[in-house]
Amino acid sequence: MVKRLIMLGAPGVGKGTQASRLGKDQGWAHISTGDMLRDAVRGGTELGLKAKSYMEQGALVPDELIIELMGERLDQSDCQQGFLLDGFPRTVFQAEKLNTLLESRGLALDGVVSIDVPNDEIVKRLSQRLVCDDVGHVVIQTAEINEGDICSQCQGKLIRRKDDNPETIRHRLEVYDKETSSLIQFYEEMGLLKVVAGLGTMDDVYTRIREVLELT
Ligand code: AMP
């Protein structure tokens, strides 16, 4: 079943983890603009050089860079079976551009899943989040698991994302409230919005997502 979906929600609600699992289970491409930009920064490409300072401050990268990136990405063959967008669109302008990109390819969105988590919980989660420097697996920091340890899933090294520090987290949440939350109304008006409670275990949230998407 081909589906074209957006995962919406503030940083730290778990949309990347859920999108990755759903993409694998359904054979849909998981497209994370944050991951694509971090790859570009690591690779020192022209896009990476332009995006780096915005990302370090927790600010949005200029729309035109992102839209060009997405236009190219949607044409890749793995998107033909469906895709899940994670971290894009982030502004109403990007959402309108996405509609245009899809229309020009004779495609349309099937749904938008918004994962809802209170801000206090998000700050707590992001402050404890470690990612592996290889694939970006997310691990929660504990007394036993710390920065510099080896990722149990892929043997990469666990690091803290540069933008996962208290000041930048606060700024990213402000940016989300100011820019991205208006997308909820945008997609509600398009009749596409499905809201899912993001508290509970990862499995609980995954089950809720499958339910709202009517996946058996
Ligand atoms: P994320 O991994 O989705 O939290 O994204 C990390 C950072 O990448 C964000 O704080 C932005 O600086 C940048 N970014 C990712 N996606 C977008 C987008 N759609 N528009 C603008 N900036 C983005």
Side-chain angles (χ1 to χ4, degrees):
M1 181 202 330
V2 178
K3 280 216 190 264
R4 301 178 185 91
L5 303 167
I6 296 175
M7 303 290 282
L8 213 59
V13 298
K15 56 186 186 304
T17 306
Q18 300 292 348
S20 163
R21 179 170 174 189
L22 191 56
K24 277 198 197 98
D25 286 352
Q26 298 294 130
W28 301 330
H30 168 209
I31 304 178
S32 155
T33 40
D35 285 348
M36 290 165 82
L37 290 168
R38 278 183 290 278
D39 280 349
V41 170
R42 252 198 310 267
T45 65
E46 198 184 329
L47 170 68
L49 293 176
K50 286 182 184 156
K52 189 167 189 263
S53 64
Y54 296 97
M55 294 175 74
E56 283 177 355
Q57 291 162 34
L60 293 186
V61 170
D63 286 330
E64 63 272 16
L65 293 181
I66 298 290
I67 288 153
E68 192 185 329
L69 184 71
M70 280 307 299
E72 289 168 8
R73 185 65 186 87
L74 290 175
D75 287 334
Q76 289 176 12
S77 58
D78 62 338
C79 294
Q80 307 313 312
Q81 294 310 310
F83 56 73
L84 283 156
L85 302 184
D86 159 15
F88 175 88
R90 260 177 155 94
T91 60
V92 170
F93 181 79
Q94 291 182 7
E96 285 166 346
K97 289 286 176 190
L98 174 64
N99 282 348
T100 312
L101 283 175
L102 292 174
E103 273 161 26
S104 66
R105 289 161 175 78
L107 306 174
L109 286 172
D110 295 298
V112 177
V113 178
S114 174
I115 306 181
D116 204 11
V117 174
N119 271 7
D120 292 355
E121 172 69 17
I122 291 179
V123 174
K124 198 172 108 198
R125 284 189 190 178
L126 289 182
S127 312
Q128 298 172 337
R129 174 165 81 174
L130 298 175
V131 294
C132 74
D133 64 355
D134 195 3
V135 197
H137 288 127
V138 175
V139 178
I140 301 300
Q141 184 176 24
T142 62
E144 289 80 37
I145 304 173
N146 258 301
E147 276 181 84
D149 289 353
I150 299 299
C151 172
S152 60
Q153 296 180 67
C154 72
Q155 307 303 308
K157 193 168 102 184
L158 295 179
I159 55 166
R160 190 178 305 282
R161 269 174 52 170
K162 269 201 181 140
D163 55 357
D164 280 347
N165 66 74
E167 198 185 326
T168 315
I169 292 169
R170 260 194 306 278
H171 185 55
R172 284 158 64 207
L173 288 176
E174 277 165 24
V175 169
Y176 181 81
D177 284 337
K178 184 161 162 272
E179 305 275 2
T180 313
S181 56
S182 47
L183 285 178
I184 291 181
Q185 194 187 340
F186 181 90
Y187 286 120
E188 193 157 31
E189 282 167 12
M190 281 182 75
L192 291 173
L193 189 72
K194 295 158 203 305
V195 179
V196 166
L199 289 179
T201 67
M202 284 198 290
D203 284 347
D204 291 341
V205 179
Y206 188 65
T207 304
R208 285 177 212 140
I209 293 173
R210 293 192 67 95
E211 274 167 14
V212 295
L213 293 173
E214 296 174 9
L215 298 169
T216 50

